[in-house]
Amino acid sequence: MAIKRPHALTDVELHYCPGCTHGIVHRLVAEVIDELGIEGKTVGVAPVGCSVFAYNYFNCDMIEAPHGRAPAVATGVKRARPECAVFTYQGDGDLAAIGTAETVHVGARGENITIIFINNAIYGMTGGQMAPTTIANQVTTTTPYGRSLQVNGNPVKVCEMLATLDGTAYAERVSVDCVKNVMAAKKAIKKAFTMQLEGKGLSIVEVLSTCPTNWGLAPNAAMQWLRDNLMPVFPLGVYKDVSKEESK
Amino acid sequence: MKKAVFDENRCKGCGLCVEACPRKLVELDKHRLNRKGYHPADCTDTERCNGCGLCAMMCPDTAITVED
Amino acid sequence: MSEKVLMKGNEALAEAAIRCGCTHFFGYPITPQTELSEYMAKQMPKRGGLYLQAESEIAAINMVLGAASAGVRVMTSSSSPGISLKCEGISYLIGSDLPCVIVNMQRGGPGLGGIQPAQSDYFQATRALGHGDGHAIVLAPATVQEVVNTTTLAFDLADIYRTPVMILGDGALGQMMEPIDFAEVPRRQCPAKDWACTGTGMKRPHNIVNSLYIQPEDLERLVEERFERYAKIEAEEALWEEQNTEDTELVLVAYGITARIAKSAMNMAREKGLKVGLVRPITLWPFPKKPLDKLSATAKRFLCVELSMGQMVEDVRLVVNGRAPVDFFGRTGGMLMTPAELLAQIEERMGK
């Protein structure tokens, strides 16, 4: 297997902390854009959060959206330029807290865009606060005694939620904790973009990711923590795939 | 023969590649710091590297490429 | 060719927008701008454009941000409480140098306020359409024909200066019907949008539309550059109408619907021999300082008339700068003053 730097990534060095899985997902998205030959017609929308600088890292045209509004911004782009491949790259706070309405409604409308959703169960950029996907008893700086379900409620399961909407064409949860899962994640991302190119509707890939810095774990230990703690709450798998339903 | 090539200056010494190598050939060089101030990863035995690319797949910083 | 038609302000605005190339409209229903959205919903699909009802005002303004980034002429409309929701997005539009047109058919506030005409969003429109150092151009038409003309101008100015432009109307202007002529609308030359995100086509470096500048030096430089553009706008784009200002002792200052009431009151005062004139700002930002500065040397006093507790009056005072007394008369909460009511105010101030 020859692995080289994808053309769809710029030469800019990523600002992420050591071992942060954003870099892996950036590379996978860029590899998919390369393989589909769509860099010249792709427009990406960056979120607010750790991946806010994504506009510096992808070689396609990029827009930086207000916090949580990337799906609405992507809607504007896609409706103005239906020939473009449009994707958002969002974290859990951006997508599942402040931007929940925007997220739900691109699903309801069947907006023909692709969402890459990074779920690491914590707010990274602001220094480790509770996310909408923080799991029960998880310690963050704003749940210092662990997330209490009585006080803070339950984590949001995005793929499960979006799968209930008729406009969602494809929803899959993947992980990048090990080589096997990284390869599966890439396959899912490619499928999501392909379904957009086929005009199927909203495609979303939720990527279980780590935050070694704010979890207080070394990168490899963080991968293990993801497997032990996040995967049972957020099971990997395909939650919606209209291409499968069509072929039935 | 394909080999993993490490770009020392992109490396942040996270060690995900160390875990990924099926032959346990990758190590962080604890005796050196790169320009970012990290112990860079490198292949300890290039003869035994078969260029499988698993280290590169796990690298968050595209510091590893697999070349002929 | 002349083609006089009778239209409501809200509908005329929508029609003017479509005629000058607005292809995308994103909105959320709110009284009293609903006819504008409904007109767009009816017309856009027939004329190759898009009307999309968003899930919120916030989503609508961010759809505008996306479509503007992609280089098309795009508009949204709302009324006061809805504009407050849009302010986050407007700040980002300003910070990203994106052209678009935002309509505010004002109603009474604060809070849910009322649904009758008001001018109590002047401060918001001219001072604080979101956080940060920045402005949007603000146009305030007073007739339905002027609604048509300023809508076209709004799109042109937005493209020329790469800035959001707000059309600040009110419930009365949106609802009133007047004859209009679409043929008479002047047009400006607009630059190509080579900065837009339309896909690189692998032929150019990637375009980035962004308002984040993490290095303070960079942000300061960028904001200063933007303010150089604002200085040009202030120097070249201020618009106003003057009436009876040659010999005037008392200068009425009013915009939009209030200027029409002020005109009637002025004419009644003139019939009584009172030397009353009117300055009607058409651009609220940039505020037309020139005529007021000139009149400060000759007029005895100023009377600013608004449908608010007094907002534009502060701009008038800044220009007059103590050279003459600047009084204020206003109604608020959705109430209009009558010309007779205003005439009484004029007479009282002129010692009659």
Side-chain angles (χ1 to χ4, degrees):
Chain A
M1 183 189 303
I3 292 187
K4 55 185 197 317
R5 191 175 180 75
H7 188 274
L9 276 189
T10 63
D11 281 334
V12 179
E13 289 185 19
L14 307 182
H15 72 282
Y16 301 110
C17 302
C20 170
T21 45
H22 268 308
I24 298 175
V25 185
H26 280 21
R27 195 190 68 240
L28 297 182
V29 171
E31 283 175 357
V32 165
I33 290 172
D34 278 10
E35 287 169 21
L36 294 173
I38 56 171
E39 186 190 313
K41 64 168 189 175
T42 298
V43 179
V45 184
V48 171
C50 283
S51 50
V52 66
F53 294 117
Y55 55 79
N56 283 328
Y57 304 143
F58 290 103
N59 241 330
C60 55
D61 281 353
M62 292 294 294
I63 300 164
E64 203 291 302
H67 199 18
R69 318 297 176 219
V73 172
T75 298
V77 177
K78 189 70 180 187
R79 297 300 182 115
R81 306 282 171 194
E83 69 280 10
C84 286
V86 181
F87 77 94
T88 71
Y89 187 103
Q90 301 174 258
D92 40 47
D94 193 85
L95 182 138
I98 196 166
T100 314
E102 285 79 2
T103 305
V104 167
H105 282 274
V106 285
R109 285 194 302 271
E111 209 64 58
N112 195 31
I113 60 167
T114 298
I115 295 177
I116 307 298
F117 167 41
I118 306 299
N119 177 2
N120 63 3
I122 205 158
Y123 281 71
M125 185 176 242
T126 45
Q129 294 78 27
M130 184 189 74
T133 50
T134 292
I135 60 173
N137 303 317
Q138 186 182 339
V139 173
T140 71
T141 63
T142 50
T143 53
Y145 312 109
R147 180 175 184 152
S148 154
L149 298 186
Q150 283 71 38
V151 176
N152 304 112
N154 299 280
V156 178
K157 297 178 179 179
V158 171
C159 276
E160 288 86 334
M161 179 174 70
L162 290 184
T164 64
L165 299 170
D166 292 339
T168 302
Y170 178 63
E172 180 168 356
R173 184 180 292 122
V174 297
S175 167
V176 286
D177 62 294
C178 63
V179 170
K180 179 171 151 271
N181 283 338
V182 167
M183 289 166 88
K186 181 173 170 185
K187 206 172 140 216
I189 291 167
K190 193 165 187 177
K191 171 122 188 176
F193 273 94
T194 304
M195 288 186 80
Q196 180 186 164
L197 296 174
E198 291 168 356
K200 295 270 196 269
L202 177 71
S203 52
I204 176 168
V205 179
E206 174 175 346
V207 186
L208 294 188
S209 302
T210 65
C211 182
T213 300
N214 290 300
W215 288 1
L217 294 169
N220 282 308
M223 294 297 200
Q224 191 58 46
W225 194 88
L226 181 160
R227 286 188 282 271
D228 293 343
N229 297 281
L230 292 189
M231 279 187 190
V233 181
F234 303 108
L236 305 188
V238 177
Y239 287 84
K240 183 93 175 264
D241 183 354
V242 294
S243 67
K244 285 237 171 76
E245 289 161 23
E246 281 162 7
S247 63
K248 266 181 201 165
Chain B
M1 185 66 180
K2 284 175 181 154
K3 296 282 174 203
V5 179
F6 290 72
D7 180 346
E8 169 176 321
N9 284 326
R10 279 190 176 269
C11 179
K12 292 177 187 156
C14 72
L16 293 182
C17 52
V18 175
E19 193 99 333
C21 179
R23 297 188 176 186
K24 302 292 168 210
L25 302 178
V26 184
E27 276 178 21
L28 301 183
D29 187 342
K30 296 287 183 191
H31 303 292
R32 283 190 311 124
L33 292 173
N34 67 7
R35 66 174 164 80
K36 289 185 206 283
Y38 297 114
H39 296 299
D42 206 352
C43 184
T44 52
D45 188 350
T46 48
E47 289 303 307
R48 290 189 60 218
C49 173
N50 67 351
C52 73
L54 301 191
C55 54
M57 295 212 45
M58 291 307 293
C59 178
D61 292 284
T62 47
I64 311 171
T65 49
V66 179
E67 293 166 13
D68 279 317
Chain C
M1 200 179 70
S2 177
E3 39 162 348
K4 284 250 176 199
V5 285
L6 195 65
M7 280 183 107
K8 269 191 181 184
N10 277 330
E11 294 177 349
L13 199 161
E15 178 61 32
I18 296 172
R19 284 184 187 228
C20 76
C22 172
T23 54
H24 288 70
F25 180 94
F26 301 97
Y28 186 86
I30 184 170
T31 307
Q33 63 76 54
T34 309
E35 292 91 348
L36 203 168
S37 293
E38 287 172 350
Y39 190 89
M40 285 294 194
K42 207 180 274 179
Q43 291 293 324
M44 279 296 205
K46 288 195 235 167
R47 294 159 78 171
L50 172 84
Y51 165 85
L52 187 64
Q53 184 167 320
E55 62 270 26
S56 69
E57 304 284 5
I58 297 168
I61 194 70
N62 283 286
M63 290 173 187
V64 168
L65 193 153
S69 301
V72 300
R73 282 198 155 179
V74 56
M75 180 164 100
T76 185
S77 71
S78 191
S79 182
S80 309
I83 296 295
S84 292
L85 283 169
K86 288 186 194 296
C87 281
E88 176 203 45
I90 298 172
S91 174
Y92 279 74
L93 284 155
I94 291 170
S96 307
D97 296 312
L98 288 171
C100 66
V101 175
I102 301 147
V103 179
N104 181 4
M105 288 297 176
Q106 296 170 91
R107 57 189 248 187
L112 208 44
I115 56 168
Q116 298 302 319
Q119 296 181 319
S120 41
D121 300 346
Y122 180 93
F123 280 153
Q124 185 189 50
T126 60
R127 302 291 198 277
L129 277 171
H131 59 278
D133 270 332
H135 283 290
I137 296 172
V138 183
L139 303 171
T143 66
V144 180
Q145 180 67 52
E146 202 171 58
V147 164
V148 170
N149 292 20
T150 51
T151 300
T152 311
L153 178 65
F155 278 100
D156 287 348
L157 290 176
D159 284 350
I160 292 167
Y161 293 104
R162 283 187 63 180
T163 178
V165 178
M166 172 166 276
I167 299 172
L168 191 69
D170 55 70
L173 192 63
Q175 303 294 326
M176 73 172 57
M177 282 185 111
E178 283 180 328
I180 45 169
D181 187 347
F182 285 104
E184 304 285 302
V185 184
R187 294 301 306 269
R188 300 267 293 262
Q189 192 77 34
C190 295
K193 297 179 177 179
D194 53 5
W195 47 264
C197 289
T198 55
T200 63
M202 307 303 273
K203 287 177 186 133
R204 55 161 173 79
H206 68 158
N207 283 338
I208 298 173
V209 170
N210 173 39
S211 64
L212 175 66
Y213 295 87
I214 209 79
Q215 300 299 333
E217 300 84 359
D218 294 345
L219 184 56
E220 184 183 53
R221 181 180 46 77
L222 208 88
V223 172
E224 284 173 352
E225 277 172 20
R226 201 170 289 127
F227 270 72
E228 284 167 22
R229 221 179 320 146
Y230 291 159
K232 191 162 182 272
I233 295 171
E234 290 200 80
E236 295 176 13
E237 305 296 349
L239 291 172
W240 69 92
E241 184 196 2
E242 286 178 55
Q243 280 193 353
N244 297 328
T245 48
E246 304 79 25
D247 63 344
T248 187
E249 286 178 14
L250 183 142
V251 183
L252 293 169
V253 189
Y255 71 95
I257 189 71
T258 313
R260 297 170 68 124
I261 301 164
K263 237 178 234 186
S264 302
M266 173 184 72
N267 291 335
M268 289 157 78
R270 283 268 160 187
E271 275 172 26
K272 291 189 168 189
L274 299 175
K275 289 182 175 169
V276 176
L278 171 71
V279 173
R280 175 174 75 88
I282 299 171
T283 55
L284 301 183
W285 197 92
F287 188 69
K289 294 174 185 163
K290 233 180 239 172
L292 295 171
D293 183 53
K294 204 171 137 217
L295 286 165
S296 296
T298 55
K300 287 198 177 129
R301 60 197 311 142
F302 291 78
L303 176 58
C304 189
V305 191
E306 301 174 56
L307 300 183
S308 76
M309 292 303 286
Q311 301 191 6
M312 183 172 74
V313 65
E314 294 198 1
D315 276 334
V316 179
R317 286 187 179 129
L318 280 170
V319 178
V320 174
N321 200 16
R323 285 173 286 178
V326 178
D327 299 331
F328 172 76
F329 175 63
R331 296 294 301 269
T332 193
M335 296 298 292
L336 295 169
M337 68 280 291
T338 62
E341 203 180 343
L342 181 52
L343 177 64
Q345 292 286 330
I346 293 166
E347 287 179 320
E348 189 189 318
R349 285 177 170 81
M350 295 182 87
K352 304 290 168 192

